[in-house]
Amino acid sequence: MKLLVILFFSGLMTGCRGNSSYSVPPKLLLVSFDGFRADYLQNYEFPHLQNFIKEGVLVEHVKNVFITKTFPNHYSIVTGLYEESHGIVANSMYDVVTKKHFSDSNDKDPFWWNEAVPIWVTNQLQENRSSAAAMWPGTDVLIHNTTPSYFMNYSISVSFEERLNNITMWLSNSNPPVTFATLYWEEPDASGHKYGPEDKENMRRVLKEIDDLIGYLVQKLKMLGLWENLNVIITSDHGMTQCSENRSINLDLCINRSTYTLIDLTPVAAVLPKINITEVYDKLKNCSPHMNVYLKEDIPDRFYYQHNDRIQPIILVADEGWTIVLNKSLSKLGDHGYDNSLPSMHPFLAAHGPAFHKGYKHSTINIVDIYPMMCHILGLKPHPNNGTFSHTKCLLVDQWCINLPEAIGIVIGVLLVLTTLTCLIIIMQNRLSVPHPFSRLQLQEDDDDPLIG
Ligand SMILES: [Zn+2]
């Protein structure tokens, strides 16, 4: 009897352990194809990516943050913050206090990155977890004294295959296990700048190469047995729009170069005046009808681009497709960085894995919403951020969500049922309370009797 009891309880314990799949930490791979404009998905063929989406989710437009440039938006994805809050406010920056410069080739100083905590750092603070990165902006920098446990120093000459090989190796054989990994690729941004997004022939070729890389990624994850348990997000930082030689704004025609320092040029110029700010502003504000000129304090609230020392006293924002130049010819046919309300500036997001629904399409989220969603998937406590977790609930299998049309349908349905019930009750009550005509007649007869009598 004693033996039976011991066997029963040991069996129960084993059973409990066997079911505790929750003790295995979830894993997430975040992939960015730089400059993947949202509507490329509608205008070109992506057989591999479409297969990925068919078994997962698609967000057709991701509203990114202003300015719609590479470093700022990649940092917003992994921090959930607007640029004024995470401090990477452009690809080229200058800090007036420390006199430090930042550019895409001079980005290793933690000073620029330490205003926020990216998700790979938070992930590693959890017990028994590590992070890995293949060239995502900032992952080769000591941010809050931490790099991912596994990372590659940025080099444009390293192939996609080599980046992916490292990531899959780290995801397969690391201790503590890699639970968050990120992978970055420079295309289709580079070709978008070179040809412009309206060059269908060249873009078709470039985007087919991207789709082949996605096919290779999925195939490799399947081959290594990583596919079923891994959550994969494929997204981007911004879109791309067509530029033209005929749409350039030459600052040299409006203002003497000796009166200001140009920190960043186009399509959002950051101007640090050397003389009186108002004097520089007055010369620039009438320079072109295709450019908005803002004093820092007048930058529209919707840009969330004001409250940071690295934002310069005057910014110029070119209209879509216009390029700000300094008296020289245009070098690129495509560009981004413009107003983040322009659909051409938006990227997309697709995701696949155990955390995501299958075959679900969603119209839009904000780029800052990706961070709280990733924290939820990984079971991490998010740092304060500008994202809204509920915006991504419909993408996730463990969340209850109803979208707007469904909600309207339910409300109308409930109202119809309530109205019908109310009508029925009123009709029934009326029937019960109206006296039977014969009984009234009889009463009258009864009343009349004594009179007759
Ligand atoms: Zn980019």
Side-chain angles (χ1 to χ4, degrees), residues 153-169:
N153 278 308
Y154 183 71
S155 164
I156 197 168
S157 56
V158 177
S159 69
F160 182 85
E161 287 76 6
E162 195 176 332
R163 298 178 197 195
L164 179 62
N165 282 350
N166 279 338
I167 287 293
T168 52
M169 181 179 70

Side-chain angles (χ1 to χ4, degrees), residues 370-422:
I370 300 173
Y371 169 78
M373 177 180 77
M374 293 195 298
C375 287
H376 173 80
I377 291 170
L378 291 169
L380 303 174
K381 184 171 181 285
H383 281 262
N385 63 84
N386 302 118
T388 305
F389 175 61
S390 64
H391 291 171
T392 60
K393 274 186 171 180
C394 290
L395 309 178
L396 300 169
V397 285
D398 67 352
Q399 296 296 308
W400 191 77
C401 106
I402 42 170
N403 54 35
L404 191 63
E406 275 174 4
I408 292 171
I410 288 171
V411 169
I412 292 174
V414 169
L415 283 176
L416 276 175
V417 170
L418 284 177
T419 315
T420 314
L421 277 175
T422 314

Side-chain angles (χ1 to χ4, degrees), residues 34 70 189 237-238:
D34 197 314
T70 300
D189 179 73
D237 49 350
H238 53 73

Side-chain angles (χ1 to χ4, degrees), residues 5 43 74 126 130 161 166 179 200 241 247 282 346 395 431 433:
V5 171
N43 298 331
H74 276 100
Q126 296 282 306
S130 55
E161 287 76 6
N166 279 338
T179 51
K200 289 261 172 170
T241 197
R247 294 194 295 269
D282 286 341
H346 297 167
L395 309 178
R431 282 204 174 164
S433 61

